[in-house]
Amino acid sequence: MAKIGIFDSGSGGLSVLRELQKTLPLESYFYFSDNAHCPYGEKSPEYIQDRARFITDWALDKGADVIVVACNTATAAAIATLRAEYPQIPFVGMEPAVKPAALGTKSGVIGVLATAGTLKGSKYLNTRGLYEDDVKIVEHVGKGFVELVENGILDGPEAETTVKASLQPLLDEGADTIVLGCTHYPFLQTVIERLAGPGVRVIDPAPAVAKQTKRVLEDAGATIGEGPAQLSVTASGPIDPLLRTLKLITDITPAIL
Ligand code: DGL
């Protein structure tokens, strides 16, 4: 049984845990919600790097074989630092799904929803640079999306108004494909898809990240697929928001650390 550490600024990384549990159902997961420091989106890279080091030490202490940075903002700000400072453990980060969006768009316009930190980061800008000659790429910060998810507001009038304010500018530009560039946003996917309409494809990169995690564990020679499935969770702030969202993605009763 492999031990997989996974973290995010809050409950968003559960959209990645959900896919990890489909791809690697029999492993032991340790989830850290850094909700006392949420949102990461407007924080400095140095601040996020400090948090990422703290959480990495926690995951190493739990015996993790791999750490999944289930947060686009933390991936942008900290994964290079983590890889340099902790060569003893592999890290898997989030990749904005610009490539599948660019390959699949019919209108030639793709929209990216992400935090300010992700959109400013060199990782995103490099990816964007690879495709912007072929397709038009338009971006918007999902303003207030993280707060909706942390408060358990995943549908209804408030969610619709908030989502529409950031989504509509992308639709107005002609985007027929929307990339979810923040791990909180898949929890609003029902609202996003309803507002965008049937002609618009919404892409969550989490399944690709789960597959990559499996490859990394295999390359590291970790024992996988033997069980038992386990889940332990902790939060730097109140645990209730995490447990509420967790119920939406798994039946496993977590150990609370
Ligand atoms: N879920 C995060 C991401 O993927 C962080 C959102 C935030 O804390 O601002 O970017």
Side-chain angles (χ1 to χ4, degrees):
M1 174 189 66
K3 292 188 174 176
I4 301 172
I6 170 167
F7 76 92
D8 177 47
S9 64
S11 310
L14 296 178
S15 66
V16 182
L17 178 63
R18 172 172 61 192
E19 296 304 324
L20 283 164
Q21 286 181 321
K22 284 184 202 160
T23 305
L24 293 159
L26 294 173
E27 314 311 322
S28 177
Y29 291 93
F30 295 84
Y31 188 99
F32 192 111
S33 160
D34 199 17
N35 60 340
H37 301 266
C38 184
Y40 279 176
E42 307 281 341
K43 302 238 173 18
S44 71
E46 293 73 24
Y47 186 99
I48 297 169
Q49 286 160 14
D50 276 347
R51 294 307 305 158
R53 286 187 190 100
F54 177 83
I55 299 164
T56 296
D57 289 337
W58 172 86
L60 287 174
D61 189 52
K62 300 286 171 249
D65 297 300
V66 62
I67 296 178
V68 179
V69 183
C71 173
N72 295 71
T73 315
T75 301
I79 202 162
T81 305
L82 293 175
R83 286 183 174 138
E85 293 181 9
Y86 297 89
Q88 70 273 40
I89 184 159
F91 293 88
V92 178
M94 300 305 298
E95 195 67 53
V98 173
K99 182 178 178 182
L103 294 176
T105 178
K106 293 194 175 63
S107 69
V109 184
I110 67 174
V112 179
L113 288 168
T115 68
T118 297
L119 295 175
K120 275 190 291 203
S122 57
K123 198 176 166 80
Y124 173 70
L125 294 174
N126 289 341
T127 308
R128 188 187 203 286
L130 295 177
Y131 298 97
E132 63 190 352
D133 288 343
D134 304 324
V135 293
K136 182 172 171 190
I137 304 175
V138 288
E139 294 118 3
H140 209 285
V141 171
K143 277 198 206 94
F145 290 21
V146 169
E147 290 76 3
L148 284 175
V149 174
E150 289 301 312
N151 290 315
I153 304 166
L154 307 184
D155 207 338
E158 187 184 345
E160 283 207 358
T161 308
T162 303
V163 167
K164 193 167 184 194
S166 296
L167 177 64
Q168 196 60 46
L170 304 179
L171 301 174
D172 290 346
E173 295 273 358
D176 69 348
T177 310
I178 301 290
V179 173
L180 301 182
C182 168
T183 55
H184 279 77
Y185 301 176
F187 290 109
L188 294 165
Q189 194 158 345
T190 307
V191 178
I192 294 169
E193 286 180 340
R194 191 166 62 234
L195 290 171
V200 175
R201 177 175 170 221
V202 178
I203 306 184
D204 171 7
V209 172
K211 284 198 193 90
Q212 174 64 6
T213 305
K214 186 168 185 227
R215 276 194 291 271
V216 165
L217 283 170
E218 284 166 352
D219 289 350
T223 307
I224 56 174
E226 292 188 357
Q230 286 175 0
L231 175 59
S232 305
V233 298
T234 194
S236 56
I239 191 85
D240 290 351
L242 184 69
L243 297 180
R244 182 176 52 215
T245 310
L246 191 62
K247 283 204 190 98
L248 302 174
I249 67 142
T250 182
D251 295 332
I252 300 177
T253 306
I256 300 171
L257 302 175

